[in-house]
Amino acid sequence: MSLLLSQLLLAAAVASGPPPGSPPTDAERAAAMTLSRYLQIDTSNPPGNESRAVEFLAEILEEAGVGYEVVEPVEGRGSLWARLEGGPEPALILLHHTDVVPAEADAWRLPPFSGAVANGYVHGRGALDTKGLGILHLEAFLALARSGVPLRRPVIFMATADEEAGGAHGAGWIVENRPELFEDAGFLLTEGGGGGLYGGKPVFSIEVAQKAPLWLRLTARGLPGHASAPRPGSAVGSLLRGLSRLEDHRFAPRLTPQVAEYLGSLAELGGGLSDVWSDFDRRGVRAGRSLRLLQRWSPALHALLRNTCSVTRLNAGQTINVVPSTAFAEVDCRLVPGEDVARFLSEVRRVLDEPTIKIETRLSFESPASPTSTELFRALESVLRERAPQAKTLASVVSGFTDSHYFRSLGIVSYGFRPSLPEAEAFGVHGHDERVRLDDFYEGLRMMKDIVDEFVVAEQGSFETGSF
């Protein structure tokens, strides 16, 4: 058999996975065990310790004979990437983050870092966010490396630190300090979208835009003293009064074009959003009843229509019998696309109405959107049509944020997509008992391989250089 024919047969085998619902192959079962071992590595952020995950991934790449590079901007906070060379078309980046949010172990049915494979699930913190996605990326990447088929574009596998805290020690550091890595990159896949049921119908969402974070620290100051003789205007009192006003405040709703398209597409599927959206159509986004109904039905979708602030931390004093001189709170605000940060901060100051409160910005960045009229979006649609013909595919907006913004700011088209994630399991993200169903993990492996192959494997005669 000629080298060319063998390469083409390998490409065909890789690019056409088993039909949905097929029993897992030995390789797919092995991938589930790889995920199990990955979940056993505690990379809770803080403190992170992501270099533990880097060592794990590096060992897998070494066994596969694939070169890689590691950076560690801060001790213990490592990130890794590996690259497969290809033709002249813009490179594809497969990005996931290795850090996870902390877990309250006492509230879990199984230990959060057990990686237990039980009852048809792989259990553990990071199963959904995003170590599970990372293994899907890794398996697709290694399948290409093993196949040896020509690629029409390079493929970069990236595993980065610190996403849960904003990415300054991970993707943000790499983009700023190693920009040459992305000179030929044009596309990126990472977390953000996924599969679910809306109106009883299957839907795959591809995230193209997200709200921008604005994390604030509010510090109030006042005179200290003995708690037995309270003074008027204490730091704690000032902070609590301001926070109460902020909690009660509702920022004006705003319907951006991307959110309007997303919600309109969901409403076409029926379900609870359909009636609410028809009310929007008649009365506009400022209709109070519509917004209240939407918030009850889906707080996540409601959050796309306005700026929001959530008080997440409070701290004051060191002992019960002393009135402290300072008190602070941390507030997680999320801004709709296009919001002016200075204008928003001015509104926050007005709402707080407490001159002793100082506002500091802890994290802030813009969140540009990615277009849908691209070859990668069409590849995603094509594979989803083939593997899930009953499902609808749509461009989505999310209220959270990911590391996508670092790459979108470079002009790299970035999509959030996690294949085969049922809506019922999404509630495990940042919650108790995070897990991924094995059948969905296996289907995700097949779908991710098909997507990557569709987008990067070269067709015969596609290179002018005569690679074939």
Side-chain angles (χ1 to χ4, degrees), residues 120-341:
Y121 290 86
V122 186
H123 300 256
R125 175 62 88 215
L128 300 174
D129 187 12
T130 63
K131 289 179 178 178
L133 179 63
I135 297 302
L136 302 187
H137 286 172
L138 179 64
E139 291 296 322
F141 181 83
L142 293 178
L144 286 178
R146 288 191 297 266
S147 73
V149 298
L151 309 179
R152 66 176 189 263
R153 66 180 79 244
V155 182
I156 303 169
F157 170 79
M158 293 194 73
T160 58
D162 198 38
E163 188 275 344
E164 296 292 359
H169 299 309
W173 188 95
I174 297 170
V175 166
E176 181 177 355
N177 293 276
R178 298 295 303 274
E180 74 279 1
L181 297 174
F182 312 108
E183 288 178 351
D184 66 346
F187 301 93
L188 179 142
L189 287 176
T190 188
E191 62 179 323
L197 293 175
Y198 291 91
K201 301 173 184 176
V203 174
F204 279 101
S205 63
I206 302 169
E207 181 268 318
V208 300
Q210 50 196 233
K211 294 179 75 176
L214 180 64
W215 292 356
L216 305 176
R217 185 182 179 107
L218 310 182
T219 304
R221 299 189 182 279
L223 291 174
H226 200 286
S228 65
R231 301 167 181 264
S234 69
V236 172
S238 176
L239 183 64
L240 291 178
R241 286 192 299 272
L243 291 177
S244 178
R245 297 185 189 104
L246 188 60
E247 281 280 296
D248 291 340
H249 183 66
R250 295 293 176 264
F251 294 93
R254 188 193 315 169
L255 186 62
T256 63
Q258 288 122 336
V259 172
E261 181 179 354
Y262 176 42
L263 295 184
S265 297
L266 286 179
E268 293 175 2
L269 300 172
L273 181 60
S274 181
D275 294 338
V276 176
W277 186 249
S278 65
D279 195 31
F280 276 20
D281 286 345
R282 290 194 305 270
R283 301 169 56 188
V285 70
R286 294 185 182 279
R289 176 180 174 275
S290 302
L291 290 169
R292 288 191 297 273
L293 287 173
L294 181 58
Q295 187 171 25
R296 264 196 302 271
W297 186 76
S298 174
L301 293 179
H302 171 266
L304 298 178
L305 292 168
R306 60 185 359 143
N307 300 325
T308 60
C309 285
S310 295
V311 180
T312 54
R313 290 188 67 203
L314 286 168
N315 190 282
Q318 296 179 338
T319 183
I320 193 171
N321 63 342
V322 175
V323 175
S325 61
T326 62
F328 76 84
E330 291 186 339
V331 183
D332 183 342
C333 300
R334 306 295 174 104
L335 311 185
V336 297
E339 176 62 86
D340 180 83
V341 173

Side-chain angles (χ1 to χ4, degrees), residues 429-466:
V429 175
H430 289 203
H432 303 321
D433 298 319
E434 187 176 350
R435 63 185 185 174
V436 61
R437 195 170 68 166
L438 278 167
D439 287 345
D440 296 311
F441 177 75
Y442 296 142
E443 178 59 19
L445 286 170
R446 300 162 187 171
M447 192 175 293
M448 185 59 70
K449 288 181 180 179
D450 285 359
I451 290 166
V452 172
D453 291 337
E454 172 95 5
F455 192 58
V456 307
V457 173
E459 298 177 0
Q460 187 173 0
S462 65
F463 289 172
E464 294 181 0
T465 56

